[in-house]
Amino acid sequence: NSVGEACTELKREYDQCFNRWFAEKFLRGESAGDPCGQLFKRYQLCVQKAIKEKDIPIEGLEFMGPSKGKTENSS
């Protein structure tokens, strides 16, 4: 299940798409393209909305994109 009940079906659709792509394409050397990108974006927006609605604190987490002002160490 997803963080938001309304997002669970989108999560399942994305998971199925990704697993199919991974097994049928990526593992066979066909890594070009992003067939699940639009599904992921829809799911991501749904999760972001659910997080805001549930007032879940997410400060310090970077799973929704890079933090502004942070630099990567190049060691």
Side-chain angles (χ1 to χ4, degrees):
N1 291 337
S2 183
V3 68
E5 197 174 307
C7 305
T8 298
E9 186 58 33
L10 285 172
K11 179 185 183 309
R12 287 187 183 131
E13 288 178 38
Y14 171 72
D15 287 346
Q16 287 176 350
C17 181
F18 177 85
N19 290 334
R20 187 172 42 250
W21 169 81
F22 188 79
E24 296 174 6
K25 302 287 184 177
F26 183 79
L27 291 178
R28 295 182 177 154
E30 300 175 39
S31 60
D34 186 6
C36 307
Q38 289 301 316
L39 279 173
F40 179 76
K41 287 178 185 177
R42 287 177 42 214
Y43 173 57
Q44 183 182 36
L45 289 172
C46 187
V47 168
Q48 289 171 345
K49 181 179 176 188
I51 286 171
K52 286 180 185 176
E53 288 174 354
K54 293 183 179 201
D55 201 26
I56 298 172
I58 59 169
E59 285 191 31
L61 298 179
E62 297 181 23
F63 68 94
M64 289 189 184
S67 296
K68 292 181 180 177
K70 281 196 171 186
T71 58
E72 292 184 24
N73 293 335
S74 56
S75 38

